[in-house]
Amino acid sequence: MRLLNRAGELLSSEGPSALSLRRLAADVNTSTTAVYSLFGGKPALLDALYDEGFRRFGQRLATVPETDDPVEDLIQIALTYRDSALEDRQFYVVMFSKVVPDFMPTTETYIAASGTFVPVVKTVQRAIDNGQFVGDEGPEVIGLALWSICHGLVGLELHGILPPGLEIAPVFERAVRATADGWRKR
Amino acid sequence: MRLLNRAGELLSSEGPSALSLRRLAADVNTSTTAVYSLFGGKPALLDALYDEGFRRFGQRLATVPETDDPVEDLIQIALTYRDSALEDRQFYVVMFSKVVPDFMPTTETYIAASGTFVPVVKTVQRAIDNGQFVGDEGPEVIGLALWSICHGLVGLELHGILPPGLEIAPVFERAVRATADGWRKR
DNA sequence: ATCGTATCGTAACATTGTTATAAAACGAAT
DNA sequence: ATTCGTTTTATAACAATGTTACGATACGAT
């Protein structure tokens, strides 16, 4: 589908505000009506992009190898999280920020998106079985905490609301490691 | 200024998409031109709301009392962070989410907003001096980590991207405490 | 009382998403 | 091969948005 490809390009190169139906239709030499017959409107198009964003995201996260040190695996997943977000930042804001008012993903695509979280929970479970992490909490809670520190730091970074003159990459890694340490048995 | 008050009301009750200049002007019986002479356009109006949001936010955070257990103080600040965000969620999305494309706060209001972060860093410094937290990292890094876990969890909660059937309040507190534990001397 | 600035109203303009209507394309069935 | 039905597309219009030009009004200081 040329429309969807071009929409992704526009989103990546010029951001969500450049993604107007007329602009998009003109770029692929068709009319705005095509978006309505093929997708069902702009929200549905955004939904497709949302889906595409999570597909890329999950694909990247899946490249992290599984070792016998699950906590270290989690660190690597977190670093990959940030790399992915920075590389596809325009998709990231569609996925995790409110770029278009009143946009809500379909429950189907939402469920597909939630799949991105599954490997994290599984790896946490391995760390619990391992004895590295405390076990009195479900793996979802620990996974959520790690997910959130990534989400929070990346969100602040993408919005430019971080203390100036800060080397972000090492701070990110340090913060993730400390967060993981907080769930270690002691 | 009636315009700003009404804008805040509209924002709080119906969200950013209901905040159109014509609607706003009609609600206070004036014309859209008023926004341009008094503020300078819609981005400038958003900037004023951004400022107002951080003012409320900082005011709430300042109510947390200072005890002789700075780490516990940080936990309470974090809980207040979440309460504030949930209470003024429409302001929160203006402050930390991209509700209007291409909106960037003025450097002045941005600096004023950064002031919200100062008490956190100070409290972290107290915990370092105290010997509760490790001291090989600057207080900004630790403060940023705590800030981010709040930001990330609240962001996911406001977007409705949290595992369903999850009691969020206790999970939030548990995650914040674990994150703080990650910086404790051991 | 007058002048200058600040504020406001009316109206227009460009752009956006959306939809009605009709034309065209395409595939399947007779 | 023709005909029918569905899908896709093009044109045009509509409502709503932010923005600006132009002129009128209000208001404060000199």
Side-chain angles (χ1 to χ4, degrees):
Chain A
M1 193 69 48
R2 302 224 321 288
L3 271 175
L4 196 57
N5 288 340
R6 182 58 186 153
E9 288 175 16
L10 273 176
L11 191 63
S12 292
S13 59
E14 305 185 39
S17 64
L19 190 60
S20 85
L21 293 192
R22 285 178 172 81
R23 168 82 185 277
L24 175 63
D27 281 7
V28 297
N29 282 320
T30 181
S31 188
T32 63
T33 326
V35 179
Y36 286 85
S37 31
L38 296 182
F39 292 93
K42 183 159 188 183
L45 178 71
L46 264 293
D47 199 68
L49 286 173
Y50 181 91
D51 205 41
E52 168 72 6
F54 269 102
R55 203 192 52 77
R56 298 192 189 189
F57 198 48
Q59 198 164 301
R60 283 218 181 84
L61 257 48
T63 67
V64 177
E66 181 171 316
T67 74
D68 54 356
D69 184 350
V71 174
E72 186 60 29
D73 290 353
L74 286 169
I75 307 292
Q76 295 305 318
I77 290 178
L79 297 181
T80 308
Y81 181 111
R82 175 167 176 266
D83 290 342
S84 290
L86 293 185
E87 204 160 331
D88 269 347
R89 58 175 66 204
Q90 306 293 8
F91 279 92
Y92 189 84
V93 300
V94 168
M95 291 159 18
F96 289 118
S97 203
K98 292 210 175 304
V99 285
V100 57
D102 308 328
F103 163 66
M104 284 291 299
T106 310
T107 45
E108 302 168 305
T109 59
Y110 163 72
I111 289 174
S114 309
T116 324
F117 188 52
V118 172
V120 178
V121 176
K122 275 188 180 159
T123 312
V124 170
Q125 183 65 58
R126 281 172 50 224
I128 294 177
D129 298 340
N130 216 357
Q132 290 183 282
F133 273 171
V134 297
D136 41 285
E137 218 73 48
E140 296 87 5
V141 173
I142 303 181
L144 187 57
L146 291 168
W147 202 246
S148 296
I149 191 82
C150 296
H151 182 60
L153 273 168
V154 167
L156 292 175
E157 180 175 3
L158 290 185
H159 281 246
I161 4 187
L162 282 187
L166 197 68
E167 199 78 37
I168 301 181
V171 168
F172 183 87
E173 179 166 354
R174 183 77 183 83
V176 169
R177 289 193 183 277
T179 304
D181 285 346
W183 300 95
R184 282 201 137 98
K185 273 191 180 154
R186 51 181 76 215
Chain B
M1 192 71 47
R2 302 224 323 286
L3 271 174
L4 196 58
N5 287 340
R6 183 58 187 152
E9 288 175 17
L10 273 177
L11 191 63
S12 293
S13 59
E14 305 185 40
S17 65
L19 191 61
S20 84
L21 293 192
R22 285 179 171 80
R23 168 82 186 277
L24 175 64
D27 282 6
V28 298
N29 283 318
T30 182
S31 187
T32 63
T33 325
V35 178
Y36 286 86
S37 27
L38 296 181
F39 293 92
K42 184 160 188 183
L45 178 72
L46 264 293
D47 199 69
L49 287 173
Y50 181 89
D51 204 43
E52 167 72 6
F54 269 103
R55 203 191 53 76
R56 298 191 190 188
F57 198 48
Q59 197 164 301
R60 283 215 180 85
L61 258 48
T63 67
V64 177
E66 180 170 316
T67 73
D68 54 355
D69 184 350
V71 174
E72 186 59 30
D73 290 353
L74 286 169
I75 306 293
Q76 295 306 317
I77 290 178
L79 297 181
T80 308
Y81 181 111
R82 175 167 177 265
D83 290 342
S84 290
L86 293 185
E87 203 158 333
D88 269 346
R89 60 173 66 202
Q90 306 294 8
F91 278 92
Y92 188 84
V93 299
V94 168
M95 289 162 13
F96 290 117
S97 202
K98 292 211 176 302
V99 285
V100 57
D102 308 329
F103 164 65
M104 284 290 299
T106 310
T107 46
E108 303 167 303
T109 59
Y110 163 72
I111 290 174
S114 308
T116 324
F117 188 51
V118 172
V120 178
V121 177
K122 275 188 181 160
T123 311
V124 170
Q125 183 65 59
R126 281 172 51 223
I128 294 176
D129 298 340
N130 217 357
Q132 289 183 283
F133 273 170
V134 298
D136 40 284
E137 218 71 46
E140 296 86 7
V141 173
I142 303 180
L144 186 58
L146 291 168
W147 203 246
S148 295
I149 191 81
C150 296
H151 182 59
L153 272 168
V154 166
L156 292 175
E157 180 175 3
L158 289 185
H159 281 246
I161 4 186
L162 282 188
L166 197 67
E167 198 79 38
I168 301 181
V171 168
F172 182 88
E173 179 166 352
R174 182 75 182 87
V176 169
R177 289 192 183 275
T179 304
D181 285 347
W183 300 96
R184 283 200 136 99
K185 273 190 181 155
R186 53 182 74 213

